[in-house]
Amino acid sequence: MGTASTEPEPRQPVMADVARVAGVSHQTVSRVLNGAPHVRPDTRERVLAAIRELDYRPNSAARALVTRRSQTLGVVSFGSALYGPASMLDGIEQAARSAGYFVSVASLRSLDSRSVQEAVDRLRDQGVEGIVVIAPQISAVSAVAKLSSAVPVVAVGSGSQSRVPVVAVDNEAGALAATRHLLDLGHETVHHVAGPAGWLETKTRQDGWRKALEAVGAEVPQVQSGDWSARSGYEAGLRIAEDREVTAVFCANDHMALGLLRALHEAGRSIPGDISVVGFDDIPESAYFAPPLTTVRQDFGELGRRALELLVEELAGVGHARSHVLVSPEMVLRRSAGPAARR
């Protein structure tokens, strides 16, 4: 029979080991790890080389006890596979990592007041320094407004009515630009496939579409409602295809535009010859639709960066001068929208 090994497990290197290999003091290693100034470049390089040689990993729990900072931010996320909320979360996580913060995520199925407060409390128990709440639904605005938190909170996508600092895409401006683009191509009016009720993007994008039509005295057609899915866009497209007067459609997101394109193709309507189509989001697949989709691009990386900046300002106590930040979207022109056909 074999015998159990009595060799001790290898000891994890500690800061004193780094100091010994680098030939510096314990305090110098600490200053390098904390990014302190006034460390000579050659000394800093020796310390970093020793860290790499030993594969040293700082004890974040111990550092937090000393500095009273966890370098961790919390994110309350709407647990959805939808492109918008998922991309917002990715943008925030990337921006946080770039700024030297860890991220702890609490993903919720619903954004009611109780669920959001419980998620914030759980994150606070983990010692986060600040919290970002991704709040794309109208119910989330009320939930964020009722939050009780001893740490700074920033909302992403919750609109200008939120009581906490907010970073959001200017959805109304994006929808207005999309609708104006179609009107400028000579279309007498623009039909709209909207998102589901209860979403801020649904309301603000519909508001922008309506304002663009009213500004030029164009007819405001009845809204076709969807649920962000390609299936709902397809169903709306079947209804739209029956109306030979329709020449232009603005869809509130690209997935619904994809379904709409499929329905119009099946109905024998050419795009953009018979009907021009514009979407919103610029999902990665939009450039490969048939035809490639003209759409409104949201920069989710910029959204995450701005949210993190605002949260860091709140942590420093200087964030009140910029409590609401709107990130401008941009039109991406492709081949799904063209001049109105002469009648």
Side-chain angles (χ1 to χ4, degrees):
M1 294 178 60
T3 58
S5 174
T6 57
E7 294 183 7
E9 294 185 3
R11 178 177 66 86
Q12 294 294 320
V14 295
M15 194 180 295
D17 298 319
V18 176
R20 175 178 51 78
V21 171
V24 299
S25 68
H26 181 283
Q27 291 82 358
T28 298
V29 175
S30 178
R31 287 199 293 271
V32 171
L33 288 171
N34 289 305
H38 311 306
V39 177
R40 292 176 55 179
D42 59 332
T43 301
R44 186 184 302 277
E45 184 51 43
R46 289 209 314 276
V47 171
L48 294 175
I51 289 172
R52 290 192 294 269
E53 177 184 337
L54 296 171
D55 195 25
Y56 170 69
R57 293 291 182 269
N59 186 325
S60 57
R63 185 190 296 181
L65 287 174
V66 174
T67 64
R68 298 185 182 275
R69 296 193 61 188
S70 66
Q71 288 298 115
T72 301
L73 302 176
V75 178
V76 178
S77 173
F78 176 59
S80 171
L82 290 172
Y83 180 76
S87 299
M88 286 181 193
L89 176 59
D90 183 62
I92 292 165
E93 287 184 309
Q94 288 189 34
R97 284 196 298 271
S98 297
Y101 285 92
F102 300 102
V103 174
S104 181
V105 180
S107 184
L108 304 179
R109 291 184 179 273
S110 62
L111 288 172
D112 59 90
S113 295
R114 180 177 178 180
S115 297
V116 173
Q117 184 65 62
E118 288 176 350
V120 167
D121 291 342
R122 288 199 305 273
L123 291 170
R124 285 184 57 200
D125 289 343
Q126 296 175 24
V128 300
E129 296 184 36
I131 295 173
V132 177
V133 181
I134 297 175
Q137 293 177 315
I138 292 172
S139 62
V141 177
S142 174
V144 170
K146 296 175 182 176
L147 273 179
S148 172
S149 176
V151 300
V153 174
V154 169
V156 177
S158 71
S160 60
Q161 302 305 310
S162 179
R163 291 173 53 189
V164 302
V166 170
V167 178
V169 170
D170 194 340
N171 286 286
E172 183 174 308
L176 194 146
T179 308
R180 277 182 180 167
H181 176 65
L182 290 166
L183 293 171
D184 289 344
L185 288 170
H187 298 278
E188 294 181 3
T189 190
V190 178
H191 288 248
H192 183 45
V193 180
W199 285 72
L200 288 154
E201 287 92 341
T202 297
K203 180 182 184 305
T204 49
R205 292 174 193 179
Q206 187 170 324
D207 287 347
W209 162 76
R210 187 180 301 275
K211 285 182 179 180
L213 295 180
E214 291 176 344
V216 297
E219 174 194 354
V220 180
Q222 181 178 349
V223 172
Q224 300 284 341
S225 294
D227 61 8
W228 301 128
S229 70
R231 177 192 54 79
S232 68
Y234 176 79
E235 292 172 352
L238 292 177
R239 295 189 293 270
I240 288 171
E242 295 176 355
D243 186 349
R244 293 287 167 173
E245 297 298 312
V246 177
T247 67
V249 182
F250 164 52
C251 292
N253 81 337
D254 289 352
H255 285 103
M256 292 192 299
L258 172 61
L260 179 87
L261 292 174
R262 170 67 181 272
L264 295 178
H265 280 307
E266 290 183 358
R269 309 295 295 278
S270 69
I271 301 153
D274 294 327
I275 299 181
S276 288
V277 178
V278 174
F280 203 113
D281 282 341
D282 193 29
I283 62 175
E285 299 83 4
S286 295
Y288 303 97
F289 288 0
L293 184 68
T294 292
T295 186
V296 179
R297 175 181 295 158
Q298 302 191 64
D299 187 340
F300 290 104
E302 177 71 1
L303 201 67
R305 187 183 68 80
R306 294 285 193 93
L308 191 76
E309 283 182 356
L310 201 54
L311 185 56
V312 170
E313 289 177 4
E314 289 293 311
L315 287 168
V318 296
H320 299 294
R322 248 184 357 128
S323 60
H324 291 84
V325 176
L326 282 178
V327 177
S328 298
E330 63 173 310
M331 287 292 303
V332 179
L333 304 182
R334 298 194 181 105
R335 297 203 301 271
S336 66
R342 292 184 178 180
R343 298 188 178 229

